[in-house]
């Protein structure tokens, strides 16, 4: 009887030890879920897809992550248990993998493929216009086609109207208070000096103007204050085409231009004429105090000045494309210019 009692105690202790060992091996054990998420149509990996793990049967959110650039996901520290896994990404149908049992260190799911949502919409046409002046990192860009105030004018008018250059009383064009600037036409040096080049090119021929006020050291060595690059319009239509522009202002200034263009596979020829009358009104008050033969004199004078500039011109040119890399161009502009200064002085 004593022997049987001792044997029962030994069996109880041994069984209790086995239970403790078993619980130590499986209780609080953790593993991880890993896998990849792809687009069902293109088979490309989906980055930033949301992966969520829920515990069964109470559907409590346990953990989650997002996929990397290769579509891979990895969720660690999941207790051995039963779960379901949800996969979501904007524009795709949600997918759920049910009855995922974690009973090992790594549980790798088969590749997950998400189906893109397709919603048929009515046809929508979206149109927009470029801003008149765009500020880029290294330059300002003026989209001349958006500047209605410069129709019939020159490149100089476009820049003056947008306060990017100034003119003095003599009509000289100044960039940052200096006439020392370079003018490029389609990225190539202009055959004319700065201000002269700006007054030669009509706004109707310009696509955009690029203003670089901080040129590289290559140009700074020449002492220039900036670079003005004029990008001209490229005729894309074959056959005969023409453009007519006209403008009038309340101070009796007006301008107009006409250009006729012919283009075929190799040759582009144009001829045109333009006329511009520009009126500038200036008034200023001069108050002087001076002495003469021990007598003090005062003089208050109001000066009104009207400057009228007239510039009629004719132009023609042609382009011949030898091949895709070689093009010959010839342009000519002939005209006259006159300045009429009407100055009136009134003593007050």
């Amino acid at each position: 009887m004593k022997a049987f009692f001792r044997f029962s105690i030994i069996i109880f202790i041994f069984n209790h030890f086995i239970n403790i060992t078993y619980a130590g091996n499986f209780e609080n054990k953790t593993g991880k879920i890993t896998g990849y998420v792809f687009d069902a149509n293109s088979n490309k990996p989906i980055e930033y897809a949301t992966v969520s793990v829920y515990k069964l049967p109470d559907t409590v959110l346990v953990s989650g992550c997002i996929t990397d650039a290769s579509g891979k996901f990895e969720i660690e520290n999941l207790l051995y248990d039963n779960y379901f896994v949800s996969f979501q990404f904007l524009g795709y149908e949600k997918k759920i993998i049910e009855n995922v049992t974690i009973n090992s260190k790594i549980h790798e799911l088969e590749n997950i493929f998400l189906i893109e949502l397709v919603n048929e919409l009515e046809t929508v046409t979206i149109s927009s216009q470029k801003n008149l002046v765009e500020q880029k990192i290294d330059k300002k860009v003026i989209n001349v086609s958006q500047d209605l105030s410069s129709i019939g004018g020159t490149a100089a008018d476009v820049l003056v109207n947008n306060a990017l250059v100034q003119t003095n009383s003599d009509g000289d064009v100044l960039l940052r208070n200096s006439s020392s600037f370079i003018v490029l036409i389609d990225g190539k040096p202009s055959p004319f000096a700065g201000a002269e080049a700006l007054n030669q090119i009509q706004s109707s021929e310009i696509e955009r103007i690029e203003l670089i006020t901080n040129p590289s050291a290559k140009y700074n060595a020449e002492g220039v204050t900036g670079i003005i690059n004029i990008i001209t319009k490229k005729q894309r239509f074959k056959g005969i085409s023409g453009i007519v522009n006209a403008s009038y202002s309340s101070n009796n200034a007006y301008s107009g231009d006409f250009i006729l263009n012919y283009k075929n596979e190799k040759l582009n020829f144009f001829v045109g004429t333009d006329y511009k009358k520009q009126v500038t009104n200036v008034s200023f008050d001069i108050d002087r105090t001076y002495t003469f033969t021990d007598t003090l004199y005062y003089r208050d004078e109001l000066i009104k000045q009207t400057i009228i500039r007239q510039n009629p011109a004719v132009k023609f040119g042609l382009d011949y494309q030898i091949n895709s890399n070689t093009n010959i161009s010839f342009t000519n502009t002939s005209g006259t210019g006159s300045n009429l200064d009407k100055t009136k002085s009134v003593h007050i």
Side-chain angles (χ1 to χ4, degrees), residues 6-262:
R6 291 195 188 101
F7 180 75
S8 298
I9 292 175
I10 293 172
I11 293 298
F12 174 78
I13 294 172
F14 180 76
N15 185 56
H16 183 66
F17 176 78
I18 291 298
N19 288 336
I20 292 174
T21 303
Y22 181 84
N25 288 333
F26 293 96
E27 231 177 69
N28 297 324
K29 286 279 189 176
T30 60
K32 68 178 180 180
I33 295 176
T34 184
Y36 292 85
V37 179
F38 298 93
D39 183 293
N41 293 325
S42 64
N43 291 327
K44 293 182 178 180
I46 299 178
E47 187 179 6
Y48 300 120
T50 302
V51 184
S52 305
V53 178
Y54 297 84
K55 189 177 180 301
L56 289 174
D58 48 8
T59 66
V60 175
L61 178 63
V62 176
S63 185
C65 70
I66 58 174
T67 56
D68 61 17
S70 65
K72 184 179 180 180
F73 64 91
E74 191 173 282
I75 303 176
E76 299 179 329
N77 299 320
L78 295 173
L79 292 174
Y80 284 12
D81 211 328
N82 294 322
Y83 304 90
F84 73 87
V85 186
S86 169
F87 300 88
Q88 297 181 82
F89 188 66
L90 184 64
Y92 288 80
E93 295 181 4
K94 181 179 179 180
K95 185 167 185 176
I96 294 177
I97 305 298
E98 299 179 348
N99 299 321
V100 177
T101 300
I102 305 297
N103 53 15
S104 60
K105 287 293 183 183
I106 301 176
H107 185 92
E108 187 169 353
L109 296 177
E110 295 182 356
N111 290 341
I112 307 300
F113 294 92
L114 299 184
I115 300 173
E116 189 174 3
L117 289 171
V118 178
N119 295 321
E120 293 187 2
L121 301 175
E122 295 182 1
T123 302
V124 177
T125 302
I126 300 175
S127 60
S128 63
Q129 290 185 337
K130 293 181 180 179
N131 293 328
L132 176 58
V133 179
E134 296 179 291
Q135 181 68 57
K136 306 240 177 191
I137 295 176
D138 57 342
K139 60 191 173 186
K140 287 184 179 179
V141 178
I142 304 98
N143 296 300
V144 179
S145 59
Q146 307 297 323
D147 187 8
L148 299 179
S149 64
S150 299
I151 292 177
T154 63
D157 296 320
V158 175
L159 294 168
V160 170
N161 291 342
N162 290 283
L164 298 177
V165 298
Q166 303 82 39
T167 56
N168 58 19
S169 58
D170 297 324
D172 299 324
V173 178
L174 305 177
L175 175 63
R176 296 165 68 183
N177 295 320
S178 172
S179 59
S180 177
F181 57 87
I182 292 177
V183 174
L184 306 178
I185 300 177
D186 293 327
K188 301 175 182 178
S190 167
F192 303 102
E196 184 181 0
L198 296 178
N199 287 308
Q200 289 284 340
I201 303 176
Q202 298 299 307
S203 62
S204 58
E205 301 174 8
I206 303 172
E207 178 72 26
R208 67 182 185 277
I209 299 176
E210 299 175 346
L211 181 63
I212 305 169
T213 54
N214 292 301
S216 64
K218 170 185 175 182
Y219 296 100
N220 282 333
E222 302 175 19
V224 301
T225 57
I227 299 173
I228 299 174
N229 185 23
I230 299 174
I231 308 300
T232 59
K233 293 180 180 178
K234 306 299 185 294
Q235 299 292 338
R236 299 181 176 88
F237 302 103
K238 296 179 182 179
I240 299 175
S241 61
I243 299 175
V244 178
N245 293 304
S247 66
Y248 178 80
S249 64
S250 59
N251 63 344
N252 200 31
Y254 48 84
S255 62
D257 66 87
F258 167 76
I259 187 167
L260 185 67
N261 188 86
Y262 171 76

